[in-house]
Structures are given as structure tokens and as C-alpha cells.
Amino acid sequence: MSEKLPNALAYSHQLLKHIISRGNTVVDCTVGNGNDTLLLANLVGKTGSVYGFDIQQTAINHTHDRLKANGLNEENIHLFTASHSQLDHFLPKKSLISAAIFNLGYLPGGDKSIITHSESTIEAIKGCLNHLKQNGLVVIVIYYGHPGGQTEKNAILDFGKSLDQKKFAALTYQFINQKHEPPFVLVIQNIAPAV
């Protein structure tokens, strides 16, 4: 191998690129500054749908600006100033998603006191799993080097470990010899047989 191993964010994007096709429905559970939303929109194309959530209007505004700057028509991109824990209220009832992405922690460049919390994050993960099609992925990039981050990290890992292995595969991708609490990825795949 001639390339370096990808960091957590780059690895999360590799996973999304591998699983998402044109016309799919996908979810960005923490739109932040819009980087993941832009990637998702490009992957699903004009025939797919992107649903994005953030509790901060600033994040939604940044994402609108990023999409517009990249020439994307937002007719198929649905952004909500709402907690990701409420995604079941916004997704069409029987819709199936091929992927969802989370970047936990706080908004880069924003108010560091506004962070994601395990209760709402786990509720959002459950919502995604309820809509996840067979072989679909929920990709969670876990940033935990901030106050409250360790608590959320531990709760989410415990949740991942508790999932029924006959229905879901859960794995982590992380560097174990890096200092300063580097982010890592938890990936959950729906492996249940289609009904």
C-alpha cells in the first residue's frame, strides 16, 4: 500500500462513497458546515434525496451557502433546524435510507458549549436503523476530546455493543497510537435478511 491510512473523516467518506448510489435517500444527522451534506448530495444526484438536521440555525445557513456555492439545486435536499432525534417526524413513513452520517461533538468554528449528547444521538441512531435498508450503513464519527465527549462516546459504544449481531454488524475504526484523543468511526450495517 503506497497511501497513508485515512483519518476518521476520510474513512467515513470512503464508506459513504462505497454504499450510496444515484437516486438513494440519505441522512446527514449533524449538518454542521455542510461538508457531509454536499458529499451526500453529489452522491445521490438529482434523483435522490438528502435529509439534514442541526439544532443550530447557523449550521443550516452555512450548509445552504455551501450547497449554493457548489451550484446545487436544493429541491431534493431537505434541511431542518431540529434535533436529529426527531428525524422520524421528517422522513417519509416507509422510506428506506441507504446511509446516514453523524459527526459528533460541536460545530467547528461555532459555540463549543453546544455539543451533541448521548440521549438524543442514540435516539437518532435508532431512528436511522429503523429506516436503514439491507446492507445500508450508519456512519458515526465520534469526536470526544471536549467536555461531555467521553460520556457520549462511552454511551454510544455501549449501544453499538448491545445491537443484535443477527441484525446488525458494528465495528470501530480508530488509530490507537495517536495522542490528543483523535476521532474515530463507529459503523453499523443492517445485515438482516430482507422481508
Side-chain angles (χ1 to χ4, degrees):
M1 179 164 47
S2 60
E3 297 179 16
K4 289 183 179 178
L5 290 168
N7 64 24
L9 188 60
Y11 182 66
S12 73
H13 286 187
Q14 285 181 8
L15 291 168
L16 294 172
K17 289 174 184 176
H18 178 73
I19 199 73
I20 297 171
S21 301
R22 297 268 182 215
N24 285 172
T25 298
V26 295
V27 180
D28 185 349
C29 290
T30 50
V31 301
N33 288 313
N35 294 309
D36 289 337
T37 311
L38 177 61
L39 173 68
L40 294 174
N42 283 321
L43 291 174
V44 301
K46 294 178 181 179
T47 58
S49 296
V50 178
Y51 290 83
F53 301 88
D54 208 294
I55 61 169
Q56 297 184 71
Q57 186 62 47
T58 303
I60 298 297
N61 294 343
H62 285 168
T63 301
H64 278 299
D65 292 345
R66 185 173 301 280
L67 294 169
K68 187 175 180 181
N70 283 274
L72 284 177
N73 180 340
E74 294 187 43
E75 288 179 11
N76 64 330
I77 303 167
H78 315 281
L79 301 178
F80 303 99
T81 308
S83 171
H84 48 211
S85 65
Q86 298 175 313
L87 65 86
D88 262 334
H89 301 296
F90 296 96
L91 287 177
K93 289 294 179 202
K94 294 187 178 181
S95 64
L96 290 178
I97 63 172
S98 57
I101 178 77
F102 291 76
N103 273 284
L104 304 181
Y106 54 83
L107 176 65
D111 183 347
K112 293 184 180 181
S113 70
I114 302 173
I115 61 171
T116 54
H117 295 277
S118 56
E119 298 83 7
S120 59
T121 298
I122 290 172
E123 193 66 29
I125 295 168
K126 289 177 180 177
C128 290
L129 295 179
N130 289 337
H131 289 271
L132 194 62
K133 70 180 189 179
Q134 187 178 26
N135 298 324
L137 299 178
V138 175
V139 181
I140 308 153
V141 184
I142 302 174
Y143 295 83
Y144 60 98
H146 59 275
Q150 286 281 354
T151 301
E152 184 176 40
K153 176 192 95 166
N154 293 337
I156 290 167
L157 286 176
D158 287 344
F159 173 77
K161 290 174 187 176
S162 75
L163 291 169
D164 183 345
Q165 68 179 14
K166 293 178 182 175
K167 297 179 180 177
F168 300 102
L171 67 84
T172 56
Y173 173 87
Q174 64 187 124
F175 291 94
I176 58 174
N177 66 334
Q178 291 183 358
K179 297 178 181 177
H180 308 298
E181 300 165 319
F184 67 97
V185 180
L186 170 64
V187 187
I188 304 170
Q189 183 177 42
N190 176 8
I191 59 170
V195 290

